[in-house]
Amino acid sequence: MKRIKVVCAKSWGKLGNYNSARRVAEYVERTLPNSQVTVEPLEEIWPQFAQWGQEMQDAAAHLRPEDVSREFRRINGSIARELAKDAVTLPVLQKLQQTVLSSSDACIGTKGIISGLLCDARRASGRDIPVLNWVTNPGLIDIPIHACPDADGHFVPLQEDAEKLCRRMAANPDAVHAVGPPISLAQISAGMQGGAAPEKTKGYALVFYFHFLEAQCLEVVKDVMSIEGEINAFVFYATMDPSVQQATTQLEADCQGRLKVCRACKQ
């Protein structure tokens, strides 16, 4: 029995990374039948990680959209400075050795910062254990604290994400794999029909709500809208990644009136 731990962020992004980690665990168990996969939030090992997650949630909930990215950059800069201090990193590396590496045959991090810590813990322990970096949000590839060049493999949603990661980290292309988003079109379609994914749908009105609208969210919406049939959808969000504004406008135009994207609340 191969023991695999998926280490994730439960407080960063309104459980989005945690739910993605659960999808990753399900995928690994399906593809490796003789495996035991568990999901472990880093917050349960390192409380400081939850404090940073709360700062991000507060920023996303209370700031204007144009101010959120600036505040996230400030928080990420603060995190980078803290991680540069041995007094901060050494205790968490020891905890990762004791709680994750010691009881695993392989580890998966669902954020680059987590995968990087797992790699550092592996180096400190001297154990030869595979560490994989599973990118559930490709927007993080551009953020320095999520760079993880020492991972043995990288998994990203789309081929364009794989190419970007190779450029940003100078990663070996053979170690970077495009595997699709954690929440797939087939899963959404099956949920709509209560069974297998349909080839055609009729008369559906869907409502999506994203606390933080980003590129990966739009990919899910785009996949759903591409199903043949009569589908109308509304997308509501609290805050939006500024980098997806143009893509959002284009997606609305492509759907020819069947899709409306709007903010769910006013600041």
Side-chain angles (χ1 to χ4, degrees):
M1 179 71 70
K2 195 174 187 65
R3 302 166 301 168
I4 302 171
K5 285 199 176 179
V6 180
V7 185
C8 65
K10 197 171 186 178
S11 63
W12 292 32
K14 290 287 185 182
L15 296 180
N17 190 256
Y18 178 65
N19 288 326
S20 292
R22 293 169 60 194
R23 295 290 189 188
V24 168
E26 292 170 4
Y27 174 85
V28 173
E29 284 189 328
R30 286 198 308 271
T31 54
L32 296 174
N34 191 32
S35 63
Q36 180 183 47
V37 186
T38 56
V39 176
E40 189 150 353
L42 183 57
E43 291 87 342
E44 296 179 5
I45 302 169
W46 189 25
Q48 173 63 52
F49 202 68
Q51 294 180 29
W52 289 328
Q54 187 60 54
E55 287 185 42
M56 293 183 181
Q57 287 191 36
D58 290 344
H62 302 299
L63 295 181
R64 296 177 300 176
E66 57 269 27
D67 295 330
V68 171
S69 293
R70 182 169 61 250
E71 180 63 8
F72 275 22
R73 287 194 295 271
R74 185 198 67 78
I75 295 170
N76 287 329
S78 175
I79 294 171
R81 289 190 294 273
E82 287 297 299
L83 292 180
K85 301 174 184 176
D86 287 344
V88 174
T89 57
L90 290 180
V92 69
L93 296 185
Q94 292 173 353
K95 289 181 180 179
L96 285 171
Q97 292 174 43
Q98 296 165 1
T99 61
V100 177
L101 299 186
S102 64
S103 57
S104 304
D105 299 304
C107 298
I108 299 171
T110 56
K111 280 188 181 291
I113 184 174
I114 297 174
S115 303
L117 288 168
L118 289 170
C119 288
D120 290 343
R122 174 180 63 178
R123 187 182 306 109
S125 70
R127 290 199 64 198
D128 185 18
I129 177 173
V131 174
L132 305 177
N133 179 39
W134 204 298
V135 181
T136 62
N137 177 3
L140 301 185
I141 294 173
D142 294 316
I143 300 176
I145 64 168
H146 292 291
C148 182
D150 295 330
D152 298 290
H154 304 269
F155 298 86
V156 297
L158 305 173
Q159 184 57 39
E160 61 194 58
D161 303 323
E163 295 167 1
K164 182 166 72 169
L165 189 146
C166 288
R167 292 195 302 269
R168 292 285 189 272
M169 293 189 208
N172 178 2
D174 293 335
V176 183
H177 311 279
V179 293
I183 301 176
S184 68
L185 170 61
Q187 290 166 331
I188 294 172
S189 300
M192 289 162 55
Q193 291 288 344
E199 296 181 359
K200 185 172 182 177
T201 63
K202 182 178 181 180
Y204 277 100
L206 303 180
V207 177
F208 297 86
Y209 177 80
F210 299 107
H211 180 77
F212 186 62
L213 184 62
E214 54 193 351
Q216 185 178 353
C217 304
L218 287 185
E219 289 299 323
V220 172
V221 175
K222 186 187 301 182
D223 282 345
V224 172
M225 298 305 292
S226 69
I227 300 173
E228 184 181 356
E230 300 172 13
I231 298 178
N232 292 277
F234 298 88
V235 174
F236 296 98
Y237 63 91
T239 54
M240 177 191 288
D241 182 344
S243 67
V244 305
Q245 178 66 62
Q246 184 175 353
T248 301
T249 303
Q250 184 60 52
L251 183 56
E252 280 188 314
D254 292 344
C255 291
Q256 300 179 343
R258 296 185 299 116
L259 174 67
K260 178 63 179 176
V261 180
C262 55
R263 197 167 181 189
C265 59
K266 297 181 179 179
Q267 300 294 343

